[in-house]
Every structure is written in structure tokens, then in C-alpha cells.
Amino acid sequence: NAGVTQTPKFQVLKTGQSMTLQCAQDMNHEYMSWYRQDPGMGLRLIHYSVGAGITDQGEVPNGYNVSRSTTEDFPLRLLSAAPSQTSVYFCASNTKRGTDTQYFGPGTRLTVL
Amino acid sequence: DAKTTQPPSMDCAEGRAANLPCNHSTISGNEYVYWYRQIHSQGPQYIIHGLKNNETNEMASLIITEDRKSSTLILPHATLRDTAVYYCIVRVLNNFNKFYFGSGTKLNVKP
């Protein structure tokens, strides 16, 4: 199993550009989430999904869109990048059964100029 | 979900036990205590979780007080590779997907 994979690892955008951060998991987990982590801070939840076709907002959803057309994939779209979105983005997945442990991807480091 | 309070940083000598405290005084009866850690800039890694009994696995032990208002994560023999930020999180099992991470405790293991 590859676990949770994220692409790209690094990205530089100009203000106003749009882009999609990719996240995929091969563990057949129902739940997937996106977090951002600003320097020296903990993780904050952006959006999450409890299954294909179902998404909801987290703590800091503004400026981001998500969709979940398959169990495996959960892309995060930045509609019009702003410098305030400079951060490290982590995707996570977990099953709704058992211990509910989250598995995190390696992260995408995004800089918006 | 209940919020947690952790010291911002702690030091520990290599080979000694590291005891990381967490206060969760508003925890509800159905909320679990989870511990994760983040080494440098990697994705957080699950360590252990529990409801009311003490728990132990190959990585650590979790001690939860009888009133469940606080807990301690114990790394029995800390190594330099255990230097990381440790997060204590409380949540209801299977309650959507809302893991609320605070700022955590930066554990510095020194030789």
C-alpha cells in the first residue's frame, strides 16, 4: 500500500492563479480531509468528506473547493490564490470503522507570491 | 469536541522517559484521547489513543486520570528521533472527521 499520496510536493503560484492539489489513498477509507499548517502553528481543517459525493466545510474553508467523485481521490482547488494561502497542506484519510486513526500524506508546500 | 492544553515545549535527556502532559478538563464521556506527533515537516503520525483505561503499544504508554480531565503520554526511552511536536486531541469516535489540532508540545530530546 502506498497509503496517502499528495502531489505536487512543492508549488509556487502568483496571486490570482488557480490550481488543484491532488490527494489519493489506496486503503479504501471512507473519510478524507484537507488541513493547512502555517509556520509554528497546528493543523487547521479546511474541508472533509465522509464518502464519495459528500463533502463539508471545516474550520477554514474560504478560498478552497473540494469534490469527492471516487473513494480514492480528494482534490483541493484553490480558486484564486492569495498570499494568505501560503502554507503546507496535508491530506488525511481514515476509516469510519475501528479505531478511527487518521493517516496523513507527506504534504504540499505552497507559496503564493 | 473538547479542547486541549499542552505546554509549548519540553526537554528530555536521551534514554530517559519523556512524560508529556495534556489537560482536557471539558472532555465528554464519549470522547477519546488521541496522541499524534509530527517530526520536522512531515505529516502527523498516530501514536496511541484511549478512552478511560491506560493504554500501551510499541511506541508509547497513555495514562488517563480517573476523572479523565488530563492525560500523560509516556515515551519510555526517548531517542533523538523522538524529537518532534506532539499533539493531544480529544474527539468523539466516528464523529465526522474533525480532528482539532492545537499547537502541541515541542519535545527536544538531547544527547
Side-chain angles (χ1 to χ4, degrees):
Chain A
N1 283 354
V4 180
T5 58
Q6 293 184 237
T7 56
K9 284 188 168 48
F10 301 93
Q11 183 70 48
V12 178
L13 293 178
K14 294 181 180 176
T15 297
Q17 287 185 314
S18 63
M19 79 157 294
T20 299
L21 307 186
Q22 301 292 344
C23 175
Q25 52 94 6
D26 60 0
M27 298 173 282
N28 203 31
H29 285 168
E30 298 87 349
Y31 297 165
M32 295 185 75
S33 308
W34 275 103
Y35 294 85
R36 62 176 286 174
Q37 185 173 34
D38 300 330
M41 307 279 287
L43 280 73
R44 291 185 293 169
L45 182 66
I46 304 171
H47 286 286
Y48 66 96
S49 169
V50 300
I54 307 169
T55 64
D56 204 348
Q57 296 181 349
E59 189 182 357
V60 288
N62 293 339
Y64 308 94
N65 271 358
V66 291
S67 60
R68 183 108 178 263
S69 55
T70 67
T71 299
E72 295 78 19
D73 300 298
F74 190 43
L76 177 73
R77 297 183 191 83
L78 279 69
L79 309 171
S80 177
S84 61
Q85 294 178 304
T86 294
S87 191
V88 180
Y89 291 84
F90 291 101
C91 179
S93 75
N94 59 295
T95 176
K96 65 180 180 181
R97 297 176 296 275
T99 62
D100 202 18
T101 301
Q102 283 205 319
Y103 296 87
F104 285 83
T108 294
R109 187 175 296 274
L110 175 68
T111 301
V112 183
L113 303 176
Chain B
D1 292 329
K3 296 297 187 282
T4 62
T5 304
Q6 299 177 253
S9 66
M10 294 182 64
D11 291 336
C12 178
E14 188 177 20
R16 304 297 293 268
N19 297 278
L20 292 93
C22 179
N23 181 287
H24 31 80
S25 57
T26 60
I27 192 169
S28 302
N30 60 349
E31 287 183 309
Y32 283 71
V33 180
Y34 284 78
W35 283 84
Y36 283 74
R37 73 179 182 183
Q38 188 174 25
I39 297 174
H40 196 44
S41 301
Q42 299 174 22
Q45 174 191 25
Y46 165 81
I47 302 173
I48 199 167
H49 77 285
L51 183 62
K52 30 184 165 175
N53 298 324
N54 298 338
E55 302 287 345
T56 295
N57 63 20
E58 64 278 3
M59 288 181 69
S61 294
L62 173 60
I63 309 297
I64 303 174
T65 58
E66 193 169 342
D67 63 7
R68 304 211 321 124
K69 294 187 176 186
S70 65
S71 61
T72 301
L73 177 74
I74 301 172
L75 308 179
H77 305 287
T79 71
L80 298 178
R81 287 177 296 180
D82 292 321
T83 292
V85 178
Y86 288 77
Y87 296 99
C88 169
I89 302 154
V90 293
R91 58 162 291 175
V92 176
L93 195 65
N94 293 327
N95 181 19
F96 306 116
N97 214 9
K98 296 180 179 178
F99 278 80
Y100 289 107
F101 286 76
S103 300
T105 296
K106 175 65 189 300
L107 176 67
N108 299 300
V109 181
K110 302 187 174 182

